[in-house]
Amino acid sequence: MDLIELDGVEKVFDVRRRTGFMRREKRQVRAVDGISFTIPRGEMVGYIGPNGAGKSTTIKMLTGILTPSGGRLRVAGIDPARERTRLASRIGVVFGQRTTLWWDLPLKDSYRLMHRMYRIPDARFAANMERCVELLDLAELLDVPVRQLSLGQRMRGDIAAALLHDPEVLYLDEPTIGLDVVSKSKVRQFLRDLNAELGTTVLLTTHDLTDIEQLCKRVMVIDHGRLMYDGALAGLHEVGESERMLVVDLEQELPPVETDLARVVKVEGPRQWLAFPASVSAAPLVAQLAASYPLLDLSVREPDIEAVIAKMYAGGADGAQGARLV
Amino acid sequence: MVPVRGRLALARDGFRAYGLIAMMWVRSTMAYRASFALTTLGSFLGTGLDFVAVLLMFGHVERLGGFSLGEVAFLYGVAGSALGIGDLLMGTMGRVGLRVRDGTLDTLLVRPVPVLAQLAADQFALRRIGRITQGLAVLVYAVVQLDEVQWTPLKVLMVPMMLLSGGAIFAALFTMGGAFQFLAQDAAEVQSAFTFGGNALLQYPPTVFAKDLVRGVTFLLPLAFVNWIPVMYVLGRPYPLDVPEWFAFAPPVVAVGFWVVAGLLWRAGLRSYRSTGS
Amino acid sequence: MRWRLYALVAAGGFRRYATYRAATLAGVFTNTVFGFILAYTYTALWDQRPHLGGYELPQALAYVWIGQALLAAASLMGGGFETDLMERIRTGAIVTDLYRPADLQLWWLASDLGRGAFQLLGRGVVPMAVGSLAFELAVPTPWWRWPAFLGSVFLGLVVSFALRYLVALSAFWLLDGAGVTQVSWLAGMFFSGMLLPLNLFPGLLGEVARALPWSALLQVPADVYLGVRTGWDLLAAYAFQAGWAVALLTVGRTLQAAATRRVVVQGG
């Protein structure tokens, strides 16, 4: 059985807007518009999309914070909206921008409270604490009130708090937002280990595609409340009909090179950038160029996901959806 | 909504979580004993000011609305202590709107204990015993002053009954105020009109107020059961409305009933939050 | 051209509070509820002792509703700029304020007067109107007593600001400002006349209460409204308020200068 199952899940909000002094306008917004997917145990999945696409709404439904307007949703066999508190001890949640820790209290007081609140057996708690303190580098922060922690320190504290009760699934909403490079890599390493060693299922939303590239084999893209793509990270490139970039260094400054296999997107002194379809081999293009131009050096750059997704959005839903699943 | 474990288990979890969280706040408060002592004293003095106003009034008159200083002090002491208990237990419900607005309510919803318990225990402020202490001090003063009351065992027992029931009624009011903030997030002050306003009302004898107002707080919003009706029985004075005598012993029942209403309103509020996310 | 700047700051203070519609409505409701409760107790008091403190019943009732109308505007229960300012002092953000080409005290005064103006309109007018519908209140006659009252309210707001500015500046020297805030709140409640008109305070306590600056916030404006202070006595009332305003603002400036030196030296 899959750990997480969504079948045609919807969430419709009534949005009231003030249009005049006393007048209000009411309209319906479909924040999540019929989403279906399943996640088996132990998988690490990236959930991405632009702001307002419905990512957070999905997470809130998966945790039981929000009640879905339609469809069927199960996490570990439990309907989150109906049995929120029962589900709560089997999941861990990290909200990037809001802490689940007690703001005015030292970090360790929050953990002590989690210990009792989640009824974690003493031995488990001690073991988990030890692991988190070591891997997330928390030893020196335990006596510091949460409000005095830096964003990166707080995030590490929050991740530990979400894991003390051995959750089967961990939801991370923007876990690296606003973190410095060192903190980011520490957090990523920890999540990788967690998934590999304990087999914890992880679903993370993020703006930072490096998170996905480094952590997730599977990625889901949501936009306007609909699932646009669900599959391997590599496959996203094809779907987005993305382009790779051939960067050539010529012996001297020349006008844009002439070729029917690519188009020149940028010229900077003797260096030129040529875009060609990602699904095509670079060899014919390189051969063609080498035959007619004096080349000093060349390199092929893979497309970054950001550009791919941007392209997908620009292309609209149809192409992408047709290409793969849903 | 909770088919598996049942309500009773959930309520037990709630009380347990409340205790855990409140204890943690108390422990952290006690790290700064001097500050705690000062703020408690401030709370004691601050609430004492209303009573100074009463004393100043009685510097000019013998009776107010037909009641002596001792009698008014008795009303004041019961109302003040009851509000103090409600405020100590549920006073932080004024922060619901804030937590909805800044989105931190969500963090409480992913924990395995009832949200109400978490919210009520959040920032548990032990300094609020200052208000209870002040109320009790005035109550003691009143009992000393009231030499005309014939104290029977029943009347003596009625004092703790009033304090606990009254505390529960005020606590329910704080809860309703919290539920209302799901609807209007900035309107925390409405809650004060009923809780602190209710206390200000009950500090004075019912004879002072218009009959319609007295009817309202007897039959609609059961504030009169905090002190007015039972205290009239203790003092052996008639209540300005025609109510059966057993009303004087009804506060515990009224408190339970009022809590049922508060619970339903709270659930409705939380449900609306969970369907709208705002 | 400085005045243009401060007028803009005041307008900003006004607008900032004007955006909290629900909070304003809630405040109006609460002020009205308290107004009713106090009005009934005052009625009972004046029924027993007509002419108490030199007021007739309609005057005493008007006093109740003036108190509710001025409660938010004059920050009789606190709640104005001082929490912001204390936070800025504590976090050190105040340093940037000190380098601004505007006077710190005047800046906050303008902003607080803007807030006061909004709360006078937003939270004062409705309770007063409800009160005058439900009870028979004394009304100022002749008409010029209205502007005289508003003048006194204005001076009261300045004194209120000057007091709270001192409270806020204490954050330069004290780590935890809660104690000072609390004492200032207690004094404000008691000595402004919010609890009970100061002319009901007995003997020496009454004399002292009426001489302290807090009486400028409510008691003095109310007496101007009620026609207790007219003619030369009106001028004396203004002089009393203005005197405290100038004295307290001057103390504020002195403290501010001392604090600035401290910050600049520390900031090095």
Side-chain angles (χ1 to χ4, degrees):
Chain A
M1 191 187 66
D2 290 315
L3 189 62
I4 297 175
E5 301 169 76
L6 278 79
D7 187 11
V9 170
E10 290 179 9
K11 183 69 203 174
V12 183
F13 293 118
D14 283 336
V15 178
R16 285 191 191 81
R17 213 162 48 94
R18 198 184 281 278
T19 50
F21 177 62
M22 291 300 281
R23 267 179 312 170
R24 275 151 181 268
E25 195 182 77
K26 200 172 129 177
R27 70 198 169 87
Q28 289 201 324
V29 174
R30 307 186 77 81
V32 170
D33 193 6
I35 283 190
S36 307
F37 62 77
T38 58
I39 298 178
R41 252 172 225 286
E43 205 166 34
M44 208 159 177
V45 183
Y47 196 52
I48 57 180
N51 278 331
K55 296 185 305 259
S56 290
T57 306
T58 314
I59 299 269
K60 284 182 185 177
M61 287 191 285
L62 285 168
T63 49
I65 294 171
L66 282 178
T67 318
S69 321
R72 185 174 178 283
L73 198 159
R74 291 287 179 275
V75 177
I78 295 173
D79 178 351
R82 286 175 61 85
E83 294 185 71
R84 177 173 51 80
T85 46
R86 186 159 84 95
L87 178 68
S89 32
R90 302 178 61 174
I91 62 173
V93 189
V94 177
F95 298 102
Q97 277 138 322
R98 304 169 215 131
T99 181
T100 56
L101 304 163
W102 279 267
W103 197 244
D104 305 285
L105 300 176
L107 196 51
K108 79 169 177 244
D109 278 7
S110 282
Y111 294 150
R112 210 181 282 168
L113 202 57
M114 299 276 179
H115 178 192
R116 308 287 303 278
M117 199 185 259
Y118 282 85
R119 299 173 191 273
I120 308 167
D122 291 349
R124 282 307 311 153
F125 178 75
N128 286 341
M129 268 304 277
E130 199 182 329
R131 178 189 157 84
C132 286
V133 166
E134 191 198 320
L135 294 178
L136 287 168
D137 224 349
L138 295 174
E140 269 149 42
L141 309 177
L142 288 176
D143 290 310
V144 182
V146 174
R147 79 180 114 75
Q148 290 174 14
L149 297 178
S150 75
L151 203 56
Q153 294 170 331
R154 210 208 67 207
M155 175 55 65
R156 285 184 274 142
D158 256 310
I159 291 176
L163 293 170
L164 293 176
H165 58 284
D166 290 321
E168 293 160 55
V169 51
L170 177 66
Y171 303 106
L172 299 147
D173 196 5
E174 302 286 353
T176 57
I177 198 162
L179 301 197
D180 58 273
V181 185
V182 180
S183 294
K184 273 185 187 182
S185 87
K186 215 175 257 178
V187 165
R188 285 178 194 139
Q189 184 59 44
F190 179 81
L191 293 175
R192 249 194 311 266
D193 293 349
L194 177 82
N195 179 253
E197 290 169 25
L198 302 179
T200 309
T201 311
V202 178
L203 179 65
L204 74 118
T205 75
T206 184
H207 267 86
D208 187 340
L209 290 150
T210 324
D211 286 348
I212 308 265
E213 281 171 345
Q214 296 196 359
L215 295 173
C216 308
K217 291 198 188 67
R218 176 178 169 196
V219 56
M220 292 189 278
V221 182
I222 182 176
D223 190 28
H224 292 105
R226 295 190 164 204
L227 206 55
M228 310 272 290
Y229 175 83
D230 182 353
L233 184 58
L236 198 55
H237 301 318
E238 284 168 45
V239 174
E241 287 177 47
S242 63
E243 292 175 320
R244 289 196 284 173
M245 200 72 72
L246 180 70
V247 185
V248 292
D249 285 334
L250 306 174
E251 271 174 1
Q252 70 227 55
E253 280 187 48
L254 287 173
V257 297
E258 285 175 21
T259 168
D260 52 348
L261 296 174
R263 60 195 171 80
V264 181
V265 290
K266 195 166 147 195
V267 178
E268 206 179 273
R271 179 173 285 189
Q272 300 197 3
W273 281 260
L274 285 80
F276 63 99
S279 47
V280 177
S281 164
L285 176 62
V286 173
Q288 192 185 51
L289 289 177
S292 30
Y293 291 94
L295 297 180
L296 277 183
D297 194 10
L298 49 79
S299 66
V300 177
R301 292 195 187 161
E302 293 299 319
D304 62 338
I305 303 179
E306 203 141 8
V308 173
I309 290 169
K311 231 177 153 205
M312 230 167 94
Y313 295 141
D318 316 329
Q321 229 166 351
R324 207 171 255 251
L325 76 61
V326 185
Chain B
M1 257 193 46
V2 188
V4 178
R5 282 198 301 173
R7 284 206 185 293
L8 224 61
L10 204 65
R12 208 180 48 226
D13 273 10
F15 283 117
R16 180 175 171 276
Y18 184 100
L20 287 172
I21 300 170
M23 269 320 291
M24 187 185 62
W25 282 105
V26 171
R27 221 183 313 122
S28 91
T29 311
M30 285 305 158
Y32 306 94
R33 269 167 217 277
S35 168
F36 168 72
L38 275 177
T39 49
T40 308
L41 185 71
S43 151
F44 181 91
L45 292 177
T47 46
L49 284 185
D50 318 328
F51 192 65
V52 174
V54 171
L55 288 175
L56 287 174
M57 285 185 181
F58 276 92
H60 296 280
V61 294
E62 286 286 302
R63 291 182 164 266
L64 195 65
F67 284 68
S68 69
L69 173 59
E71 290 172 320
V72 172
F74 194 48
L75 285 168
Y76 179 104
V78 174
S81 317
L83 175 70
I85 293 170
D87 188 33
L88 176 71
L89 294 178
M90 304 296 282
T92 39
M93 294 300 285
R95 292 164 48 89
V96 173
L98 193 78
R99 305 208 68 150
V100 170
R101 242 180 306 149
D102 69 10
T104 52
L105 188 67
D106 289 349
T107 63
L108 308 186
L109 279 156
V110 297
R111 295 200 188 123
V113 287
V115 181
L116 181 59
Q118 295 183 64
L119 276 169
D122 185 38
Q123 315 245 320
F124 183 84
L126 194 62
R127 63 162 185 281
R128 289 182 170 139
I129 56 170
R131 182 182 282 279
I132 304 178
T133 318
Q134 189 268 341
L136 290 176
V138 173
L139 193 58
V140 170
Y141 168 83
V143 172
V144 174
Q145 291 278 304
L146 285 172
D147 36 6
E148 63 267 34
V149 173
Q150 301 293 317
W151 288 100
T152 62
L154 177 64
K155 285 186 179 180
V156 172
L157 274 179
M158 279 182 76
V159 174
M161 179 275 275
M162 285 190 282
L163 297 187
L164 295 179
S165 310
I169 290 174
F170 275 121
L173 263 180
F174 276 109
T175 306
M176 292 179 186
F180 180 68
Q181 289 166 51
F182 284 116
L183 216 66
Q185 281 117 53
D186 290 334
E189 216 181 329
V190 168
Q191 178 177 307
S192 316
F194 291 99
T195 50
F196 295 93
N199 178 47
L201 178 83
L202 298 175
Q203 286 170 357
Y204 293 94
T207 48
V208 162
F209 299 98
K211 277 274 168 58
D212 282 334
L213 184 59
V214 178
R215 268 186 211 106
V217 296
T218 304
F219 300 112
L220 286 178
L221 197 72
L223 286 173
F225 289 87
V226 171
N227 64 348
W228 277 356
I229 297 175
V231 164
M232 291 308 122
Y233 175 85
V234 173
L235 296 178
R237 303 189 57 134
Y239 189 59
L241 300 182
D242 197 17
V243 294
E245 199 187 55
W246 59 263
F247 264 36
F249 311 104
V253 182
V254 171
V256 170
F258 203 40
W259 257 105
V260 171
V261 178
L264 289 173
L265 288 177
W266 174 256
R267 270 181 57 192
L270 190 60
R271 189 175 303 159
S272 98
Y273 174 80
R274 292 180 57 204
S275 66
T276 60
S278 65
Chain C
M1 284 308 94
R2 283 281 86 137
W3 293 111
R4 286 265 294 282
L5 168 68
Y6 296 116
L8 280 175
V9 173
F14 187 98
R15 268 198 306 275
R16 180 177 159 203
Y17 281 83
T19 50
Y20 302 124
R21 285 164 198 253
T24 304
L25 278 178
V28 164
F29 178 74
T30 309
N31 288 149
T32 308
V33 168
F34 274 91
F36 266 96
I37 295 168
L38 286 173
Y40 282 117
T41 59
Y42 280 34
T43 304
L45 195 58
W46 262 264
D47 273 352
Q48 291 272 303
R49 289 282 308 271
H51 325 299
L52 183 61
Y55 291 161
E56 303 299 319
L57 180 60
Q59 288 181 305
L61 292 178
Y63 187 95
V64 167
W65 292 96
I66 293 168
Q68 292 303 318
L70 293 185
L71 183 72
S75 284
L76 290 171
M77 299 186 71
F81 71 98
E82 62 272 25
T83 21
D84 287 357
L85 181 52
M86 287 172 108
E87 189 60 27
R88 291 188 76 78
I89 293 173
R90 215 162 286 135
T91 57
I94 191 74
V95 177
T96 54
D97 298 355
L98 288 171
Y99 287 113
R100 251 189 248 154
D103 182 77
L104 190 67
Q105 192 185 36
L106 275 178
W107 176 285
W108 287 102
L109 174 62
S111 161
D112 196 53
L113 286 177
R115 176 202 59 81
F118 171 75
Q119 298 204 313
L120 195 61
L121 291 172
R123 287 187 58 167
V125 173
V126 175
M128 196 75 191
V130 172
S132 65
L133 286 176
F135 300 89
E136 191 196 329
L137 308 187
V139 178
T141 49
W143 65 268
W144 54 260
R145 227 197 280 152
W146 279 108
F149 166 63
L150 287 181
S152 182
V153 168
F154 170 78
L155 288 172
L157 295 189
V158 177
V159 175
S160 164
F161 164 82
L163 282 166
R164 285 174 294 129
Y165 195 69
L166 295 182
V167 170
L169 287 185
S170 74
F172 275 112
W173 290 274
L174 301 174
L175 273 177
D176 183 14
V180 179
T181 312
Q182 203 160 33
V183 168
S184 124
W185 173 77
L186 285 173
M189 278 297 281
F190 194 67
F191 292 117
S192 64
M194 191 65 218
L195 276 181
L196 213 57
L198 297 181
N199 40 10
L200 267 58
F201 281 31
L204 186 63
L205 179 64
E207 304 274 332
V208 172
R210 284 187 290 274
L212 288 174
W214 289 283
S215 69
L217 310 190
L218 172 56
Q219 185 68 48
V220 175
D223 279 342
V224 171
Y225 174 101
L226 295 172
V228 174
R229 311 193 73 159
T230 51
W232 285 110
D233 202 23
L234 175 62
L235 288 183
Y238 282 164
F240 172 80
Q241 291 182 298
W244 269 121
V246 169
L248 291 166
L249 288 173
T250 309
V251 175
R253 293 201 82 81
T254 315
L255 280 181
Q256 180 186 318
T260 310
R261 271 196 303 278
R262 213 174 116 98
V263 168
V264 171
V265 169
Q266 276 183 346

